Amino acid sequence: MKVLVIEDDPEMAAYIKGGLAQSDHVVDYAAEGREGLFLAAGGDYDVAIVDRMLPGLEGLALVKTLRGAGVGTPVLFLTTMGGIDDRVEGLNAGADDYLVKPFAFSELLARINALARRPSMATAETVLRVGDLEIDLLKRSVKRNGRLIELQPREFKLLECLMRQAGRVVTRTMLLEQVWDFHFDPKTNIVETHVSRLRAKVDRGFDAELIQTIRGSGYSICAPE
């Protein structure tokens, strides 16, 4: 995978570049916004990792300019600006994901891998399937073995998040951010409670359990072998 890193902190940049290189990714680097914009506009990148507070051209303006020019490279904002309003502002500017510093490199790697796998909007799936479970993102409906399953909006979003990463582990942190927009751990069992409710609707009464708990890591949904 070819990754563009736009980060003005040299130590942070070295850490990210080193980790990506160890994972066999090709990395280009820019230390300020205008150089980053030039590279992003002219390069064929699978993912761009962008800091928000950049000299020359700040991250929001950089991403807005890219989107205005029709550049669809997936962008992950990596920043210390962790408020809900900050995240909303970043996503509205055209970013595809948002991760707050400090962070675990393993999660950064998982997120950029997920972005690189994501289809373009033109080819994006509107129906996701895992085994006999089907979720229609346009109709907002869920069926298993042809039986309609009624879900609350938060349960639907949780199931969508799991099914988009079918066969892979989705961490508790990822669920908190993607389903609840939390950038901190509220120290409650909100994830566990909702997963339990979702299991009761999706798995109970069927031959196979699709939603699995990966102890110490998170959750996964996968078709039975």
Side-chain angles (χ1 to χ4, degrees):
M1 185 160 63
K2 188 177 180 182
V3 182
L4 174 61
V5 177
I6 309 174
E7 167 66 60
D8 65 325
D9 182 331
E11 291 186 5
M12 177 63 68
Y15 172 65
I16 297 170
K17 290 190 295 178
L20 291 174
Q22 288 182 5
S23 300
D24 297 323
H25 297 310
V26 176
V27 184
D28 285 346
Y29 167 64
E32 63 94 32
R34 294 191 184 281
E35 180 187 3
L37 176 62
F38 176 79
L39 291 174
D44 184 18
Y45 295 100
D46 295 293
V47 178
I49 300 172
V50 182
D51 189 9
R52 280 195 55 171
M53 295 182 288
L54 293 167
L57 181 69
E58 56 93 21
L60 283 180
L62 187 158
V63 173
K64 287 179 180 178
T65 302
L66 285 177
R67 297 304 186 234
V71 178
T73 301
V75 172
L76 181 145
F77 270 130
L78 185 62
T79 174
T80 57
M81 301 174 66
I84 296 298
D85 290 343
D86 296 320
R87 175 184 171 89
V88 170
E89 191 176 32
L91 295 174
N92 284 340
D96 300 271
D97 202 354
Y98 201 102
L99 184 60
V100 178
K101 302 173 184 176
F103 60 94
F105 186 81
S106 58
E107 183 173 1
L108 172 65
L109 190 61
R111 285 172 179 258
I112 64 171
N113 285 338
L115 288 178
R117 291 191 301 266
R118 184 179 297 176
S120 66
M121 291 302 294
T123 60
E125 293 181 281
T126 60
V127 177
L128 306 176
R129 295 180 178 87
V130 175
D132 58 356
L133 178 65
E134 175 182 297
I135 179 172
D136 190 315
L137 302 177
L138 294 181
K139 295 181 180 178
R140 308 294 291 179
S141 65
V142 177
K143 293 180 180 179
R144 183 162 184 191
N145 197 26
R147 184 195 305 174
L148 188 65
I149 298 174
E150 297 291 341
L151 296 182
Q152 297 297 317
R154 193 77 70 177
E155 295 166 345
F156 187 94
K157 193 171 183 180
L158 176 58
L159 181 61
E160 178 186 352
C161 183
L162 291 171
M163 291 185 71
R164 285 190 181 279
Q165 299 295 325
R168 306 180 184 92
V169 176
V170 183
T171 68
R172 187 173 185 274
T173 299
M174 291 169 69
L175 291 174
L176 283 170
E177 290 197 352
Q178 295 178 29
V179 180
W180 284 272
D181 287 333
F182 286 165
H183 299 286
F184 60 95
D185 189 341
K187 304 300 181 184
T188 71
N189 62 349
I190 186 173
V191 174
E192 292 77 8
T193 298
H194 278 75
V195 170
S196 178
R197 291 175 182 170
L198 184 61
R199 273 199 179 108
K201 296 182 178 182
V202 169
D203 283 340
R204 187 173 297 168
F206 293 94
D207 294 336
E209 294 184 353
L210 302 180
I211 301 174
Q212 307 294 325
T213 298
I214 311 302
R215 190 170 300 277
S217 299
Y219 301 92
S220 179
I221 189 168
C222 56
E225 296 180 356

